[in-house]
Amino acid sequence: MFLFVSGIKVLCAFLSFFEGDCPKDWCVTGAIFNYTNQLMSASENSKSIVHYNLTEAIMFLSHYMGDIHQPLHEGFIGDLGGNKIKVHWYNHETNFHRVWDDMIIESALETYYNSSLPRMIQALQSKLKNGWSNDVPSWESCQLNQTACPNPYASESIDLACKYAYGNATAGTTLGDYYFVSRLPAVEKRLAQGGIRLAATLNRIYSTKSKLARV
Ligand SMILES: *[C@@H]1O[C@H](CO)[C@@H](O)[C@H](O)[C@H]1NC(C)=O
Ligand SMILES: *[C@@H]1O[C@H](CO)[C@@H](O)[C@H](O)[C@H]1NC(C)=O
Ligand SMILES: *[C@@H]1O[C@H](CO)[C@@H](O)[C@H](O)[C@H]1NC(C)=O
Ligand SMILES: *[C@@H]1O[C@H](CO)[C@@H](O)[C@H](O)[C@H]1NC(C)=O
Ligand SMILES: *[C@@H]1O[C@H](CO)[C@@H](O)[C@H](O)[C@H]1NC(C)=O
C-alpha cells in the first residue's frame, strides 16, 4: 500500500530484507540487533574479553528501542520521517516529526499531568496493570525465542504512521485539539510498549549465564 504525503509517495510497509529499508543493517532494527549482540557477547562466555563499551551498548539499545516505537522514525525516506512537513502545533510552528517526537507528549504533560513526568509515568504504569494487562505478554514475547525481535515493532510503527499519523496532516495544516486527543492514545501505548519490550529484551539478555549480573 502506498500513501501520498504532500505529494511524496511513501510505502506503508517495512521491508527489512531490501537494501532500501535497511542497507547493511544501517537502520534502527540493525542497531537493536547490533547492541543486543554486544551485550550477549559479554554474557554468553564469561571468560571472553569484552570488546565493546557495554555502557554505551545499553544506552544505545534503550535509545533505539524508544525510536523504533515512534511511528515517524520508520523509514519514510521521502519526507525524512516528517521532518520536511511543516505544520503548526496549535499556534507553534514546527514540523511533523517533532509533533510525534515531542509535542503530543509535552501537551499531554501540561494538559493532564500538571507538567509532571513522574505523574505521567505513574499513569502509564497503572494502564499497564489494568487496561493493557492482557496485551503485555504478547508485547513481551519474541518470535522463535529470539533475544531481540525489532522487525515487528518497525512494521507496527509504519502501520500507525500510515493510519494515524499522516491522516489529516498535510504541509501547512494546523493541528490542534482534534488531532491531539485522537492521537494521544496511540502515543501513550507506544511509550508503554517500548518500555515493556526494552525490559523484556534486557531480561532475556541478562538471564543467559551472565557475568554482567555480577558486575
Ligand atoms: C554497531 O556498534 C558499533 C559500536 O560498537 C558501531 O560502531 C556500529 O556503527 C554499530 N552498527 C550499527 C548497524 O548500529
Ligand atoms: C564507555 O562509555 C561511557 C559513556 O559514553 C564512557 O563514559 C566511558 O568512559 C566508556 N568507557 C571506556 C572504558 O571507554
Ligand atoms: C502543579 O504544579 C505546581 C508547580 O509545579 C504546583 O504548585 C501545584 O500545586 C500543582 N498542582 C496540582 C493540582 O498538583
Ligand atoms: C521456545 O522455547 C521454549 C522453552 O525453552 C520451547 O519449549 C519452545 O519449543 C521454543 N520455541 C521455538 C519456536 O523455538
Ligand atoms: C480528519 O478530520 C476530520 C474532522 O476534521 C475527521 O472527521 C476525520 O476522521 C479525520 N481523519 C483522520 C484520519 O483522522
Side-chain angles (χ1 to χ4, degrees), residues 145-175:
N145 293 344
Q146 286 177 298
T147 307
C149 45
N151 288 349
Y153 316 158
S155 298
E156 290 166 1
S157 275
I158 292 209
D159 214 39
L160 286 169
C162 287
K163 278 198 190 121
Y164 289 116
Y166 285 108
N168 281 355
T170 44
T173 339
T174 295
L175 302 171

Side-chain angles (χ1 to χ4, degrees), residues 142-146:
C142 249
Q143 274 180 320
L144 307 171
N145 293 344
Q146 286 177 298

Side-chain angles (χ1 to χ4, degrees), residues 25-27 29-46 48-62 64 147-148 201-202 204-206 208-213 215:
D25 282 346
W26 271 106
C27 66
T29 52
I32 286 174
F33 285 124
N34 186 23
Y35 294 109
T36 299
N37 286 338
Q38 291 185 14
L39 293 168
M40 292 295 287
S41 76
S43 57
E44 269 163 358
N45 179 357
S46 62
S48 75
I49 295 163
V50 174
H51 297 287
Y52 306 106
N53 184 327
L54 299 178
T55 306
E56 287 186 351
I58 205 165
M59 284 161 70
F60 278 117
L61 179 61
S62 309
Y64 288 117
T147 307
T201 304
L202 290 174
R204 284 189 287 269
I205 291 169
Y206 287 86
T208 55
K209 280 195 193 108
S210 182
K211 74 171 171 186
L212 293 172
V215 178

